[in-house]
Amino acid sequence: MRTLNGYMHGVNLGGWLSQTADTSKAHYDNFITEEDIAYIASLGLDHVRVPVDYTLLEEEDGTPKTEGYSYLDNCVTWCRTHGIRMILDLHKTYGYSFDPLDKTDKTVFFRDAALQERFYTLWKILAARYGGAPELVAFELLNEIIEPEVAEAWNQIALHAIAEIRVFAPESWIIFGGVMYNNVLSVPMLAEVNDPKVAYTFHSYEPLIFTHQGAYWVDGMPSDFRIAYPNTIENYRESSKMLSQELAGAIFEGDLPEVGPAFFEALFQPALKIAEERDIPLYCGEYGVIDLADNVSKINWASDICTVFDKYGIGRAYWNYKEKDYGIVNIPDQNVQRELAAKL
């Protein structure tokens, strides 16, 4: 399979232009600055994935917010200055949010033509504005589709969006992923695309009981629960029984080997097979470990999963650079920050 060249070792800028309760100018101006992009480049990373919510870019009635685009413009400029690339990830669109804290209908977008038109219109604006820099900016259509029942509807929406974007951005990379929160097991469900600049994406937080230990937003997760990595798959499965099977992830799938590179390789096999058959790049847009985990375990986990990414040429972006309960720069010891970043 081909690789997503230029987007092999990255980090997410979550919490800046997406998933933030603070929508003040001060937050947008200061949460991420050019100094952060320079530091990311100094870590040896080659790109940033920039989640952005529609609320930054348009009013509820669809009227564009000109000032919102200035932050994306700045990020493009900073990335160019410091020699890294950028993925513009539409994290939430009008009518759809993956966020479990947003108590909204997770399927209406996929059956409502008016909501889909809003989505296409926003992407046409983004493509017209940033499609002239295909060497610098890639586009990710929408973050984490949840419900399996909308898989085929999403495929048709994605294909339509790709066609709309191509009018304005014929050479830009376009990335899209599948259902079940972009689970790697959903990659084989994605539509085949006759376009050499399209890549499939997935997210990987396996074992979720480890990467989300103590997470307040995970139903059934005790706030004081802790577990190390590596551990036995039996222990991970036993601990995962406190969560719903949907939340627990793929830890209960079939005859998985003990955790380590072979564990991730087994999980990724269906995606690798379809990517090889279709000669399409794979990209892991999110993977990471909550800050409540111990640092040795974080580094062990990152080392194992990235060994498999490297073996198969899978580009990736760690979640997260700053805050959002996963921030690399929130690790107090900068030596540990750099040790972790070196694994990515």
Side-chain angles (χ1 to χ4, degrees):
M1 71 186 192
R2 292 177 295 121
T3 58
L4 190 60
N5 292 327
Y7 299 92
M8 299 305 293
H9 306 277
V11 68
N12 278 272
L13 301 185
W16 179 30
L17 307 179
S18 174
Q19 289 180 278
T20 175
D22 185 353
T23 58
S24 68
K25 185 176 185 298
H27 167 80
Y28 292 138
D29 285 346
N30 298 302
F31 189 83
I32 296 293
T33 67
E34 184 172 1
E35 288 184 4
D36 293 295
I37 301 302
Y39 182 56
I40 289 166
S42 80
L43 294 174
L45 302 176
D46 64 9
H47 74 281
V48 289
R49 180 175 179 258
V50 184
V52 57
D53 291 346
Y54 78 95
T55 49
L56 178 78
L57 304 176
E58 60 185 25
E59 304 287 356
E60 287 300 303
D61 66 359
T63 303
K65 292 181 179 177
T66 306
E67 67 278 9
Y69 286 90
S70 66
Y71 300 104
L72 292 174
D73 294 347
N74 288 342
C75 196
V76 171
T77 299
W78 300 336
C79 287
R80 190 185 300 278
T81 298
H82 296 283
I84 65 174
R85 292 177 171 85
M86 168 180 163
I87 293 174
L88 197 168
D89 154 49
L90 187 58
H91 225 53
K92 299 180 185 180
T93 190
Y94 182 74
Y96 179 74
S97 168
F98 68 93
D99 195 333
L101 299 178
D102 293 334
K103 303 301 182 183
T104 54
D105 188 323
K106 306 304 184 185
T107 62
V108 64
F109 170 79
F110 303 95
R111 59 178 186 269
D112 188 315
L115 293 177
Q116 294 161 28
E117 283 301 321
R118 278 280 295 269
F119 174 69
Y120 302 142
T121 297
L122 179 54
W123 267 117
K124 285 187 281 188
I125 294 170
L126 290 166
R129 193 177 187 106
Y130 303 109
E135 77 291 350
L136 192 67
V137 182
F139 302 132
E140 184 176 336
L141 295 182
L142 189 59
N143 186 66
E144 292 189 344
I145 313 306
I146 297 175
E147 298 297 340
E149 69 193 70
V150 305
E152 188 49 40
W154 168 237
N155 274 335
Q156 296 310 308
I157 293 166
L159 292 174
H160 188 115
I162 290 167
E164 296 275 20
I165 290 168
R166 282 288 175 248
V167 175
F168 303 95
E171 299 296 328
S172 301
W173 277 104
I174 300 174
I175 302 166
F176 77 111
V179 295
M180 300 183 293
Y181 292 95
N182 236 357
N183 193 295
V184 68
L185 300 178
S186 72
V187 170
M189 304 178 197
L190 293 172
E192 191 163 1
V193 185
N194 184 24
D195 186 322
K197 298 297 289 288
V198 169
Y200 291 157
T201 185
F202 64 93
H203 295 172
S204 187
Y205 290 101
E206 302 292 348
L208 185 128
I209 195 69
F210 164 69
T211 64
H212 285 60
Q213 57 189 279
Y216 63 87
W217 63 93
V218 175
D219 288 341
M221 178 70 75
S223 61
D224 61 351
F225 177 76
R226 300 292 182 271
I227 193 166
Y229 184 96
N231 211 310
T232 66
I233 197 163
E234 180 182 357
N235 283 344
Y236 287 133
R237 282 175 168 164
E238 187 61 33
S239 298
S240 295
K241 289 177 181 176
M242 71 177 80
L243 310 178
S244 69
Q245 190 154 350
E246 178 188 13
L247 284 174
I251 192 70
F252 293 109
E253 290 290 324
D255 296 323
L256 291 171
E258 287 297 335
V259 295
F263 170 81
F264 292 106
E265 194 164 3
L267 280 180
F268 297 169
Q269 275 307 310
L272 289 164
K273 182 174 184 291
I274 204 75
E276 187 67 37
E277 289 173 358
R278 298 178 183 177
D279 193 27
I280 190 167
L282 283 178
Y283 175 76
C284 181
E286 292 182 20
Y287 70 107
V289 180
I290 197 166
D291 53 15
L292 296 173
D294 68 88
N295 288 332
V296 172
S297 290
K298 289 176 193 169
I299 292 167
N300 288 340
W301 184 87
S303 179
D304 282 354
I305 194 171
C306 289
T307 294
V308 181
F309 290 153
D310 287 339
K311 179 176 179 178
Y312 292 98
I314 300 172
R316 65 274 198 174
Y318 190 83
W319 185 273
N320 192 37
Y321 171 70
K322 182 179 182 181
E323 297 185 12
K324 300 304 295 177
D325 305 291
Y326 285 73
I328 293 174
V329 295
N330 298 107
I331 298 172
D333 187 338
Q334 193 173 85
N335 290 326
V336 176
Q337 293 180 25
R338 289 190 171 274
E339 185 179 358
L340 177 59
K343 302 292 185 183
L344 310 183

